[in-house]
Amino acid sequence: MVDLETAIAAVTVYPDRARVTRSGKAMLEAGEHRVRVSPLPLELLRDSIRVAGRGEVTVLGVDIVTERQPEPSDEQVTELTARRDAVDAELTELADADKAADARVEFLQRLVHKSAGSLAKASDERVAAFGDSLEAQYAAIHAGRRDRARLRQDKIREKNSLERQLADLGRKNRPDIRAAIITVDAAAPTTAELELSYVVPGATWSSTYDLRIDDKGLSLRWFGLVSQRTGEDWPECRLELSTARPAVALDIPELDPWYLSTTPPEPKRRARRSISDDLDGAAPPQMLAAAAPAGAPPLPPPAPKVREAVTTVDHGATAATYAPQRPVAIAADGTEHRTLITALDLEADLDHVTAPTRSPEAILRATARNTSEHTLPRGRASLFNDSEYVGATTLDIWAPGEERELALGVDDRIRVERELVRRNVSKATLGSSRRIEMEYTITVANHGARPTTVTVLDRLPVAHDTNVTVKETVLKPPPANRDDLGILTWKQDLAPQATTTINLGYRVETPKGVTVFGLPD
């Protein structure tokens, strides 16, 4: 049996698992050998084991075995515990010495205070001698403190090392471990470099984004968050992030029969969302800065931006693999590590959207197209307007060439007001109908420094009963779009410091004795 020392050389992380590749070299004589690689993670998937490498050898097979791990001896634990206790005692002595030094300083201060009167009458030589003595004692005290501080740091490091060794012995007190037994045949004495790869659960990576809007357009930074609890730490090695999902799409999809039933299904409850609901704790952004005033001296050219290390990408038939430019070490403690995958500059059209019947706020909207070759997975996105953080949202999967609307926060420079200017209710008389007339004025003002287009959404009531009639009385200006459900859409172009007004009115007619529900009070 040949024990092969291996190190993790590469890791490919999938959304819910990882493929780990270990490599090592072994001197082999001619003939058949059994090469042992251990320890391996207990949760590795047996069917995923693969062996490759270089050298004049033939791989005859590989087996995964469970081996009982020897328990640590009592002598090892006793020796390490005694050394740790001795270090604790030395640390206590250093602390006592510091307390003695503090007492010495306090004694010297009291001595100076009590001797002040007599020193005022003493000769210059006596005062100088007293000062020299005091200075020497203070110097000796501080020098001792510095020496003890350095010694204390050494002892703390030694204690931490001993505690780690004790913890390792405790972790090794497990009944079994995994090992791979590789059977190879060497035609002649050779140095074989073997690579063992396997898949383990407990690893994951997800996408997060920074979306930043400025006067040049929309910039997107795509980050990968990697974490793992596979049972073994990953040192600095070649790390790849793959969008492939090995556990998904392993079967050709088939359809089950579609049955009809006279039993009504359970109703589905649906939560309604507004465009501002996509922002978690959104704060009012600082909007794009105004242009420089006329006659101002030209600004110096900006310094070049800091370069960002992005990943290289390999596109496959159904997935892509991204490799960071530098090795990354990831501990098996679940800590998330963030690495930049790519940085994209996208063209975006900016406008504002408001639905004043629900909220007197204007949302800054960016309509952008994914002009890159990357399919961006679903992930959390932090939104920035220039350097100001405005909130967070969830970015759904975004394919190349696909257009997407992004809500970038409430813009307080677009002021919206919806005011009821007329409400008239007529009583029904003999043979007549009852009329309710409502009229609103919507005022939109652009207090920003740049022109913008504001999409205003409002609605007319829709009658479900044939006895109820709804007629529009005022729609000025006419809406750009309206649908069968009464939703009205205006698109208003506003210059800086400009204001526009929309008048909306309707009349509801009902027969005598009929009560209408749903109208505002």
Side-chain angles (χ1 to χ4, degrees), residues 356-401:
T357 185
R358 299 187 62 178
S359 175
E361 297 173 339
I363 303 298
L364 178 62
R365 176 177 63 180
T367 303
R369 182 181 299 275
N370 183 2
T371 54
S372 72
E373 61 179 351
H374 305 285
T375 297
L376 304 178
R378 177 183 173 90
R380 198 70 172 158
S382 298
L383 306 176
F384 296 86
N385 199 309
D386 278 342
S387 60
E388 295 293 329
Y389 173 76
V390 299
T393 187
T394 298
L395 187 66
D396 288 327
I397 186 169
W398 197 358

Side-chain angles (χ1 to χ4, degrees), residues 42-53:
L42 290 172
E43 303 299 327
L44 68 84
L45 305 182
R46 289 175 174 268
D47 295 339
S48 67
I49 291 288
R50 297 291 181 271
V51 178

Side-chain angles (χ1 to χ4, degrees), residues 50-332:
R50 297 291 181 271
V51 178
R54 286 167 290 277
E56 296 296 328
V57 296
T58 302
V59 178
L60 303 178
V62 57
D63 297 312
I64 298 298
V65 298
T66 301
E67 298 179 341
R68 182 163 298 278
Q69 189 171 2
E71 298 183 0
S73 64
D74 293 338
E75 292 78 7
Q76 290 177 291
V77 176
T78 302
E79 179 185 357
L80 291 175
T81 303
R83 289 169 58 189
R84 184 191 60 185
D85 293 343
V87 172
D88 280 335
E90 293 175 356
L91 288 172
T92 302
E93 292 177 0
L94 292 174
D96 292 342
D98 283 339
K99 291 180 181 179
D102 293 338
R104 180 72 173 173
V105 169
E106 185 178 354
F107 168 75
L108 292 176
Q109 290 174 344
R110 288 200 303 268
L111 180 62
V112 170
H113 181 72
K114 291 182 178 180
S115 304
S118 59
L119 287 175
K121 302 176 182 179
S123 63
D124 294 341
E125 291 80 5
R126 184 182 174 187
V127 172
F130 181 83
D132 292 341
S133 174
L134 192 65
E135 181 181 359
Q137 293 186 64
Y138 273 120
I141 292 173
H142 291 311
R145 281 178 171 172
R146 289 192 295 270
D147 293 339
R148 286 191 296 275
R150 286 191 293 268
L151 185 57
R152 181 181 295 106
Q153 293 301 318
D154 293 339
K155 294 301 178 181
I156 290 175
R157 283 192 289 267
E158 184 180 355
K159 179 181 177 180
N160 291 339
S161 175
L162 293 170
E163 289 181 341
R164 284 194 299 269
Q165 294 179 55
L166 285 169
D168 289 341
L169 289 178
R171 283 194 295 267
K172 289 179 180 178
N173 190 18
R174 294 186 299 195
D176 51 33
I177 60 173
R178 290 279 190 268
I181 307 299
I182 307 171
T183 304
V184 298
D185 182 42
T190 184
T191 298
E193 182 177 349
L194 297 178
E195 289 185 352
L196 177 72
S197 65
Y198 48 88
V199 173
V200 286
T204 184
W205 80 277
S206 58
S207 297
T208 62
Y209 303 91
D210 282 354
L211 293 173
R212 191 179 306 273
I213 191 72
D214 56 24
D215 55 355
K216 297 180 181 178
L218 179 68
S219 63
L220 181 147
R221 299 295 181 268
W222 176 16
F223 299 94
L225 285 182
V226 187
S227 63
Q228 60 105 351
R229 294 184 182 273
T230 62
E232 59 180 357
D233 294 336
W234 299 342
E236 289 189 353
C237 62
R238 187 175 73 253
L239 179 68
E240 295 180 339
L241 309 179
S242 175
T243 60
R245 292 174 289 174
V248 180
L250 298 183
D251 299 318
I252 303 298
E254 297 180 358
L255 291 179
D256 294 328
W258 181 6
Y259 297 106
L260 299 179
S261 174
T262 58
T263 303
E266 292 292 331
K268 295 182 178 180
R269 303 182 65 180
R270 216 174 210 179
R272 300 193 62 181
R273 294 163 60 93
S274 67
I275 191 170
S276 61
D277 292 337
D278 289 333
L279 296 174
D280 294 344
Q286 299 295 329
M287 305 311 298
L288 304 179
L299 297 176
K305 291 185 177 180
V306 174
R307 293 185 295 273
E308 296 176 295
V310 300
T311 61
T312 58
V313 59
D314 180 19
H315 291 281
T318 60
T321 301
Y322 300 89
Q325 290 188 0
R326 65 178 182 85
V328 180
I330 301 177

